[in-house]
Every structure is written in C-alpha cells, then in structure tokens.
C-alpha cells in the first residue's frame, strides 16, 4: 500500500509539484508513517502568493455582507465535519480525541466571530468638523497576508488568523506545521465548498525554506506567527525588516498560584488538566505550580497521587486523558529536561520516563510515549523553571506569601498566561491588577480568551503590538483611512497658508 502524499493547496486545487522535498508524517501513538508531506520551496510560495495577489482586487471589492455569507457557509460545513477534523488531529498530533474536539470547537468560535465582519468594519463619521467639512474613517484590507502556525493546534491556531483576515477582505497564505498537515487541506476544501473564490485561501506545506520565502516576498503585507520565542523573534525582526506588519506569538512558562485558602480538590483538578492535558504541548499549559505558605504540604501528595493515575493511551480511546508526545525528537528533548531537573537538585516525585509504549496498549510499542512528571522544590535558578519544556512536566515552587508569588511570576521573562486559585476576592483583584502577564485566570487554569476578545501575552511571549483574533485581529488585518471632504460651494476664496483648523 502506497503512502499518501500531502501537498499544497494553490488556486483552488491540491498541488503536487514533483520537485518538492518531502518529509514523513507519523502517527505518534504507533510510530507508523502515515503519509509524506511536500516541503515548499521559494517557487511554490511564489505561486501561492501570486494566486492570492490575483484574487485580491475582486475579493476586496466584494461587499462585506457577501464575504460574511461565504463565512457562514464555511461555518456550517465545519460544524458538519468537526469530528472528522478532530480525528485528523489525533492521528497526526496524538492528542486525545476529546481534546481535539475542543480544539476544533474553539477554532469554530473564531469563524462565528468573523461572520460579524460587516459590523466590525464599520467606521466613524463626524459631520461638520469644520465649516462645510465632514470627516470619516474606514478600514481597508492589506492585501496578501500569511500565517505560520505550529504543530500543537493544527486547526485552532490557523483559525485564529485566516477567518478574520479573509472576512476583512484579504487573501491568505497558510504555512502549517509539516508534522500534522492534513487538516489544513481539509479546511481549504471546505472553504472552496462554501463558495470562496479561487486564490483567496492558499496552503503551502513546508519548513524554514517556505517561511523565509514568505518573509521576504514583497507582495506579502503581513505575517502572523505562533511558536517558540526564538522563532517568534526571528519572524518579527525579519518580517519587519522587509516592511511587513508582524504579529508573532512566542513561548511561555505559565504559573498557577495556589493560595492557602484555595479549594485544594479544585486546584489539583486544575493542575492535572492544565499540566498534563495535550501532554503539556500547548502554550497555555501550566508548567509551574506556585504553592503559597503551608499549602504545599497538603496539595503535593494529592497531586502526586493523581499524576501517577493518569490514563495514558492512544487518543482514539475516549477514556484517554493524555496521549503520546508528538515526535521522537520532542520526546528526547523532554526526557533531557527531566534528567536535567534531577541534576539541578529538584525532587522528582513522579517520573514520566518510566512509562513506555507497552504501557499504552497494543500497537503502541513504537510510539512516542511518556507519563506525567512532577517535581517538587524547584527554584527560580533552575533551567527547568526558566525554560519552556513543552511537555508533561510540572514543577512545584514553594513561596512564603502572596507578595513573593507575584514577584516570582513577574520576574520571569515570559508573560503568556497565569492563574490564581483563591477564595479571597481582594487577593483575586490584586493579583489581576499587579501580575505582569497578558492572560490571567482567577480559578480558571487555562484562561484562553473567547473569540470576541483576543489572545496574546506580554514580555517575550509576544512580538508586535496586536493580539490575535478579536477586535485587535480585525485591526491587524486592516489599515485605517481617514477621509475629509467638502464641496466647492463651501470653499472660500483665496489660498490658505496656515494649518487648517476648525472654523
């Protein structure tokens, strides 16, 4: 049986250029090769951009309500096929099916938001700003824009970008991760079924070569990115150097502060789900538990007991709580961090390295398996505290009081997400105001904003000025134009040599 080839999607059809490089696509649960994805070169990227550039004038001139109707049809098709998308995610990423369903649902939320684009694009108008003069603003699309997205959310993160961009009148080139590329082609096909004109949405599979081609292409006006901080910084600097608007979301080291008055059962539930869900491979995962006062002695035994009982198996099983690590390379990296934590002197309470494919079930022996890992007595000088591990590794840091907890979080170079578990309203208010992090949860472990707000961290978790989706996403994918007009009958005679003022 031949291995399927996963190609690009250019000008309304799947493209399979013979000269492209290829990369194997794996099922992380079994280690089996399930396909080969083409890796775009500069010529493939140029073809996709040219297709979008050709489609842009007509799409930009399409009334927003008609663009919204296409988006509504796309929404209908997504809802009809959301389980199929979720199965694609599980097969190539490895996250459990129920988690994949949640990812698809959160992506669909953004499409629903983008259906309201006619309202979101409304400008402002002021009558009679000066005698006989009116002033108004409008927002217009940028042109061809691109999204470079990570492996951990192959459906949701692209949907943070392209529905808003396309509904606003842009044409979009998506460069998804080559680790789990199939969902991108399926979404492109659904968009075509929804009536989207050819060229408005293109997909180029690939690696750094494709990324660099997008960053330097003169017809690409803006780039959105989600991934690690070093790459986000590179995307931001390179894109800006080439005159592009850039929105680059980077890494994270998300803390959960547990106060002594917190409901400990709820806090443990939150830490288990947010620390080990999706095998910790999400930028909003909780990787540090900040335990205040005497709460550590009560909570850590509960946490360790739960971590040892995680149901870890192939994500197609509906009772699975955690699936495999996404790739063998990622597995090796995470294992190295666990080794490092032991060397640094943290107390290893639960060792995920002991879990193997045999433990995961039949057919999983060659998969990339690991259990949940729990460290106690982690300190801020340790690399396992400072660096993003991006795996099922939770470290516990003990602090004496609320002030020390806030200082600890604020001193970290990342500022993506944070949570605080408490029953005290004043603590919650002070935490929300004083914490230097972009997304804050109070008794909410993973505070990913809803579609009509916007996603983005602070400090080294975001490069650029605007968050993803929500109204900031609309502003990112459009440019404001201010128009002043008056008619000859209201223009006085004589040249005016001073700055115009209201008269």
């Amino acid at each position: 049986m031949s291995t399927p080839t996963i190609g690009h999607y250019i000008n309304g059809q799947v493209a399979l250029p013979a000269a492209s490089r290829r990369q194997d696509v794996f099922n992380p649960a079994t280690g089996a090769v399930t396909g080969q994805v083409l890796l775009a070169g500069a010529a493939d990227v140029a073809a996709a951009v040219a297709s979008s550039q050709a489609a842009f004038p007509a799409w930009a001139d399409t009334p927003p309500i008609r663009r919204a109707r296409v988006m509504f049809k796309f929404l209908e098709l997504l809802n009809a096929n959301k389980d199929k998308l979720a199965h694609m995610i599980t097969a190539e990423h490895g996250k459990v099916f129920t988690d994949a369903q949640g990812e698809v649902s959160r992506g669909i939320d953004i499409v629903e938001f983008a259906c309201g684009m006619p309202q979101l694009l409304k400008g402002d108008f002021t009558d009679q700003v000066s005698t006989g003069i009116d002033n108004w603003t409008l927002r217009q699309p940028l042109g061809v824009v691109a999204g470079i997205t990570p492996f951990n959310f192959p459906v949701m993160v692209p949907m943070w970008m392209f529905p808003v961009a396309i509904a606003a009148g842009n044409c979009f080139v998506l460069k998804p991760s080559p680790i789990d590329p199939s969902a991108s082609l399926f979404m492109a096909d659904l968009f075509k079924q929804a009536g989207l004109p050819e060229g408005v949405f293109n997909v180029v599979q690939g690696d750094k070569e494709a990324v660099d081609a997008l960053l330097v292409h003169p017809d690409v006006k803006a780039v959105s990115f989600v991934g690690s901080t070093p790459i986000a910084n590179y995307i931001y600097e390179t894109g800006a150097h080439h005159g592009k608007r850039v929105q680059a979301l980077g890494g994270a080291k998300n803390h959960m502060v547990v106060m002594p008055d917190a409901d400990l059962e709820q806090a443990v539930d939150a830490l288990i789900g947010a620390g080990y869900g999706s095998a910790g491979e999400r930028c909003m995962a909780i990787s540090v538990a900040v335990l205040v006062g005497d709460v550590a002695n009560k909570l850590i035994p509960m946490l360790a007991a739960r971590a040892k009982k995680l149901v870890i198996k192939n994500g197609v099983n509906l009772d699975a709580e955690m699936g495999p690590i996404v790739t063998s390379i990622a597995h090796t990296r995470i294992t190295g961090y666990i080794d490092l934590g032991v060397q640094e002197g943290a107390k290893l309470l639960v060792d995920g390295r002991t879990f193997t494919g045999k433990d995961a079930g039949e057919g999983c022996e060659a998969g990339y398996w690991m259990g949940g890992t729990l460290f106690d007595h982690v300190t801020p000088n340790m690399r396992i505290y400072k660096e993003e591990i991006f795996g099922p590794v939770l470290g516990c840091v003990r602090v004496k009081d609320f002030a020390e907890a806030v200082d600890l979080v604020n001193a970290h170079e990342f500022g993506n997400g944070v949570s605080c578990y408490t029953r005290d309203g004043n603590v919650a208010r002070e935490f929300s105001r004083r914490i230097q992090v972009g997304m804050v949860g109070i008794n909410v472990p993973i505070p990913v904003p809803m579609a009509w707000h916007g996603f983005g961290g602070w400090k080294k978790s975001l490069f650029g000025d605007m968050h993803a989706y929500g109204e900031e996403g609309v502003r990112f994918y459009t440019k404001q134009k201010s128009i002043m007009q008056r008619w000859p009958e209201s223009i006085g005679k004589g040249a005016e040599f001073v700055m115009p003022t209201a008269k």
Side-chain angles (χ1 to χ4, degrees), residues 38 462 491 497:
L38 300 180
L462 175 67
I491 300 174
F497 295 99

Coordinates of all heavy atoms in Angstrom, one line a residue, residues 38 462 491 497:
L38 N 4.8 17.3 1.2 CA 5.7 18.1 0.4 C 6.2 19.3 1.2 O 5.4 19.9 1.9 CB 5.0 18.5 -0.9 CG 4.5 17.3 -1.8 CD1 3.8 17.9 -3.0 CD2 5.6 16.4 -2.2
L462 N 5.2 37.8 23.3 CA 4.6 38.4 22.1 C 5.5 39.4 21.5 O 6.1 40.3 22.2 CB 3.3 39.1 22.5 CG 2.6 40.0 21.5 CD1 2.0 39.1 20.4 CD2 1.5 40.8 22.1
I491 N -16.3 76.4 -0.1 CA -14.9 76.8 -0.1 C -14.8 78.3 -0.3 O -15.2 78.8 -1.3 CB -14.1 76.0 -1.1 CG1 -14.2 74.5 -0.9 CG2 -12.6 76.4 -1.1 CD1 -13.5 73.7 -2.0
F497 N -2.5 79.6 3.9 CA -1.1 79.2 4.2 C -0.9 78.7 5.6 O 0.3 78.5 6.0 CB -0.3 80.4 3.9 CG -0.3 80.9 2.4 CD1 -1.1 81.9 2.0 CD2 0.5 80.2 1.5 CE1 -1.2 82.3 0.7 CE2 0.4 80.6 0.1 CZ -0.4 81.6 -0.2

